[in-house]
Amino acid sequence: MIVTTDNTSLILESNEPNVNKVIADLSLLASKSIGELVTAYPNLLIFPAHFEDNEDDIASRPTFELKVNEFQTVLETGNVMGFIGVKDTQLKIQSRFARASVIDSDAQSNQEEVIEEDYFLHYMLQKVLCINLFDLKHSRNQTNLFDFLVYLFPYFLKKALSQGLYKEYQKKTYNDSNLKGTIDIKTHVQRNLPFRGNVAYSVREHSFDNPISQLIRHTIEFIKQQPNLRGVLHSDSETLDFINLIVQHTPSYHARDRYTIINTNRKPFVHPYFMEYSGLQKICLQILRYEGLKYANNDDKAHGILFDGAWLWEEYLNTLLHPIGYDHPTNNTQQGGIKVYVQKLSGNNVRRYPDFIKDSRIILDAKYKRMKNNEINRDDLNQLLSYLFLYKASIGGYIAPSETTNLDLKMGLLNGFGGSIYKFKLAIPQEVTSYQAFKNAIAENETKLINAIKELSSEKSNNE
């Protein structure tokens, strides 16, 4: 297993064991965009799920790249985090804010074990996806991919069942006096002679007890067998209600049918209405196939779960800014945004979607990537300037995560129409001993950030 962080370069040392095998395996995935990966490997889970229409062009960005020269091979990552693997190799990309934690090993070895606690990634997922996380105690000597999958299961369950309990036509066989389908002559002769009033027959009828609901039921029963993780099934009343609904409508469940159900669900689920069941099917299969996700030698299929850091950071900031009056236009739902042309003479009028806007006068842009020396990338600056021009806004700014302290910096005054540019940084706690301590510390930093942003409204009023 290769462990690295986002927006980082990692040298794959030539003297490391199996390094050539690692490079060969990762080469199957390197430089492929998220859009290419999810097309080639439909079992991959991607966040955001609807990335195709994202204005930041998430679909075209590579998960990682391998740059090879005659001396060394360098693995370079971007904003994507998560787990991905193929064949014998697993790649774990943590947030760059993950920090090492030392735990005691067993007494016989008399050694300490170091694991990486990625509190920040867990925290953003908890805020954005409304999932409940516990102590985050990871199993030793293995990736916590399985933990992630189980934590996310209630999220997918609730999204899918919010569309209703799925039902489909199933062939049912009966042997009774209520004939309503096609007579099964062979079975009827075997079971009902001499004739006693019953008829063997089969009929197609809508049923909630189908391969998809059975897959969900098997996943629920499998999670119940995990002592440290089964608590996610009781994380809230809605999850518990949906689980009871699945159990109630899968009377034919039997544990011995698990592999049959998995094989029945090998084909990706597609339905014009029950679209959210596609993600639920994927995560159920990954949980149930977890042993198989250790990427056997003959398996060229990639598996895993990936999070786009830019999207996650933006959605996390929305949980902070929406309560203080900021709108969050979204390209994939075509909500918000502004037309570029007042009147377009040919074709459709294109729109632009700032990350956050308030009263058409303050525009803020979320930036997850590294922003060094308080400088602003040329393309990022041009993008923000275009937003300010289109909205005739007077204040613009960037919000980025930081390993140091909170920052509230006025970059300067603009020529032309005038206005100000700001740069905000949210400090991500580093020296913490537990997840709860991390949550307490970052909550204080969030308050400082919100207060600094609130002051923009007073500056806008003064400018007017």
Side-chain angles (χ1 to χ4, degrees):
M1 183 175 67
I2 306 300
V3 180
T4 186
T5 60
D6 67 73
N7 293 280
T8 304
S9 296
L10 175 69
I11 297 175
L12 300 178
E13 301 288 351
S14 58
N15 58 353
E16 289 290 330
N18 302 316
V19 66
N20 292 331
K21 181 69 170 69
V22 167
I23 293 173
D25 290 348
L26 292 180
S27 295
L28 298 173
L29 309 174
S31 300
K32 285 185 169 60
S33 68
I34 288 181
E36 292 173 323
L37 284 176
V38 78
T39 300
Y41 309 107
N43 286 329
L44 275 172
L45 281 166
I46 308 290
F47 282 87
H50 307 291
F51 56 82
E52 296 87 351
D53 298 325
N54 189 283
E55 192 174 52
D56 292 331
D57 201 17
I58 293 172
S60 65
R61 296 177 182 175
T63 306
F64 65 92
E65 295 182 276
L66 286 178
K67 296 189 176 180
V68 184
N69 56 44
E70 57 181 325
F71 301 108
Q72 61 188 15
T73 300
V74 179
L75 190 155
E76 292 189 354
T77 58
N79 281 336
V80 175
M81 295 174 279
F83 308 85
I84 191 170
V86 65
K87 292 192 173 182
D88 289 329
T89 303
Q90 301 176 62
L91 176 63
K92 177 181 179 181
I93 307 175
Q94 302 181 126
S95 79
R96 62 184 183 273
F97 302 98
R99 282 297 174 263
S101 176
V102 178
I103 61 174
D104 292 333
S105 183
D106 56 278
Q108 293 181 350
S109 64
N110 196 27
Q111 293 180 344
E112 291 180 326
E113 182 179 0
V114 178
I115 61 174
E116 292 283 343
E117 296 288 5
D118 201 351
Y119 290 144
F120 183 49
L121 175 56
H122 285 79
Y123 182 73
M124 287 196 294
L125 289 172
Q126 183 173 16
K127 295 277 284 187
V128 172
L129 304 182
C130 300
I131 58 177
N132 290 312
L133 299 177
F134 304 103
D135 294 334
L136 303 179
K137 294 179 179 178
H138 311 312
S139 302
R140 299 179 184 180
N141 303 320
Q142 70 176 36
T143 176
N144 51 344
L145 168 60
F146 183 72
D147 293 7
F148 263 104
L149 293 173
V150 175
Y151 287 143
L152 291 170
F153 173 73
Y155 167 78
F156 283 96
L157 179 71
K158 288 186 282 189
K159 280 189 68 93
L161 269 73
S162 66
Q163 295 186 312
L165 191 60
Y166 175 71
K167 63 180 179 179
E168 66 178 23
Y169 280 106
Q170 296 286 296
K171 183 179 179 180
K172 301 290 186 179
T173 59
Y174 298 93
N175 186 44
D176 55 36
S177 59
N178 301 316
L179 178 62
K180 55 182 178 180
T182 304
I183 297 176
D184 185 342
I185 297 176
K186 182 179 178 181
T187 303
H188 178 70
V189 170
Q190 290 174 345
R191 300 179 61 182
N192 298 322
L193 292 180
F195 183 67
R196 300 174 182 175
N198 289 341
V199 178
Y201 63 94
S202 62
V203 63
R204 279 174 52 83
E205 58 187 16
H206 265 119
S207 174
F208 293 114
D209 195 1
N210 52 66
I212 287 291
S213 59
Q214 280 289 333
L215 180 70
I216 302 169
R217 174 68 183 277
H218 279 274
T219 306
I220 291 169
E221 299 301 329
F222 183 69
I223 294 174
K224 287 180 180 179
Q225 299 169 14
Q226 314 303 316
N228 296 329
L229 297 170
R230 59 191 177 200
V232 300
L233 301 178
H234 307 277
S235 55
D236 57 71
S237 59
E238 187 180 16
T239 299
L240 192 57
D241 289 342
F242 283 145
I243 288 173
N244 291 334
L245 190 65
I246 291 292
V247 171
Q248 177 186 348
H249 287 89
T250 50
S252 65
Y253 165 81
H254 199 289
R256 65 169 177 254
D257 299 330
R258 180 164 299 164
Y259 291 106
T260 301
I261 292 298
I262 290 174
N263 288 330
T264 306
N265 281 274
R266 283 184 301 177
K267 185 178 179 181
F269 179 84
V270 179
H271 194 282
Y273 176 73
F274 294 95
M275 295 176 293
E276 299 296 346
Y277 274 79
S278 174
L280 181 58
Q281 182 198 43
K282 285 184 181 182
I283 199 167
C284 287
L285 288 172
Q286 290 213 33
I287 291 172
L288 294 176
R289 287 172 169 171
Y290 180 66
E291 290 301 317
L293 294 186
K294 294 177 182 176
Y295 316 117
N297 293 330
N298 296 325
D299 188 0
D300 290 337
K301 296 181 179 178
H303 303 270
I305 180 169
L306 299 173
F307 309 96
D308 181 77
W311 169 82
L312 197 56
W313 171 247
E314 183 180 320
E315 295 304 312
Y316 159 63
L317 288 178
N318 188 44
T319 66
L320 305 179
L321 296 176
H322 181 72
I324 60 173
Y326 280 82
D327 294 325
H328 180 38
T330 53
N331 187 27
N332 61 319
T333 59
Q334 302 297 308
Q335 294 180 353
I338 189 172
K339 291 182 179 179
V340 173
Y341 301 97
V342 175
Q343 181 181 8
K344 196 168 190 300
L345 300 180
S346 63
N348 295 326
N349 199 345
V350 294
R351 301 181 76 91
R352 287 294 176 262
Y353 299 85
D355 291 340
F356 303 101
I357 182 169
K358 184 174 183 180
D359 302 330
S360 297
R361 289 296 181 266
I362 303 175
I363 294 175
L364 299 176
D365 199 25
K367 291 298 176 190
Y368 180 74
K369 63 186 179 183
R370 294 182 186 272
M371 300 183 74
K372 299 179 180 179
N373 303 322
N374 293 326
E375 295 297 326
I376 300 175
N377 177 280
R378 174 183 174 181
D379 292 338
D380 295 336
L381 180 58
N382 289 340
Q383 182 185 45
L384 184 60
L385 290 176
S386 68
Y387 292 152
L388 293 174
F389 172 79
L390 290 172
Y391 280 91
K392 300 179 182 178
S394 57
I395 296 176
Y398 300 90
I399 312 177
S402 170
E403 295 179 351
T404 56
T405 58
N406 274 41
L407 174 70
D408 171 12
L409 179 65
K410 188 172 184 177
M411 302 293 293
L413 300 175
L414 295 172
N415 274 318
F417 288 108
S420 305
I421 296 288
Y422 283 80
K423 185 171 185 181
F424 299 96
K425 285 188 175 182
L426 174 66
I428 311 303
Q430 303 294 296
E431 303 300 326
V432 289
T433 57
S434 68
Y435 184 54
Q436 186 59 48
F438 177 89
K439 292 199 294 183
N440 294 338
I442 199 171
E444 295 180 5
N445 295 339
E446 289 171 350
T447 300
K448 295 176 183 177
L449 174 69
I450 292 170
N451 289 337
I453 291 175
K454 282 181 177 179
E455 293 179 1
L456 295 180
S457 296
S458 60
E459 177 181 328
K460 179 179 75 72
S461 300
N462 293 334
N463 291 338
E464 294 173 350

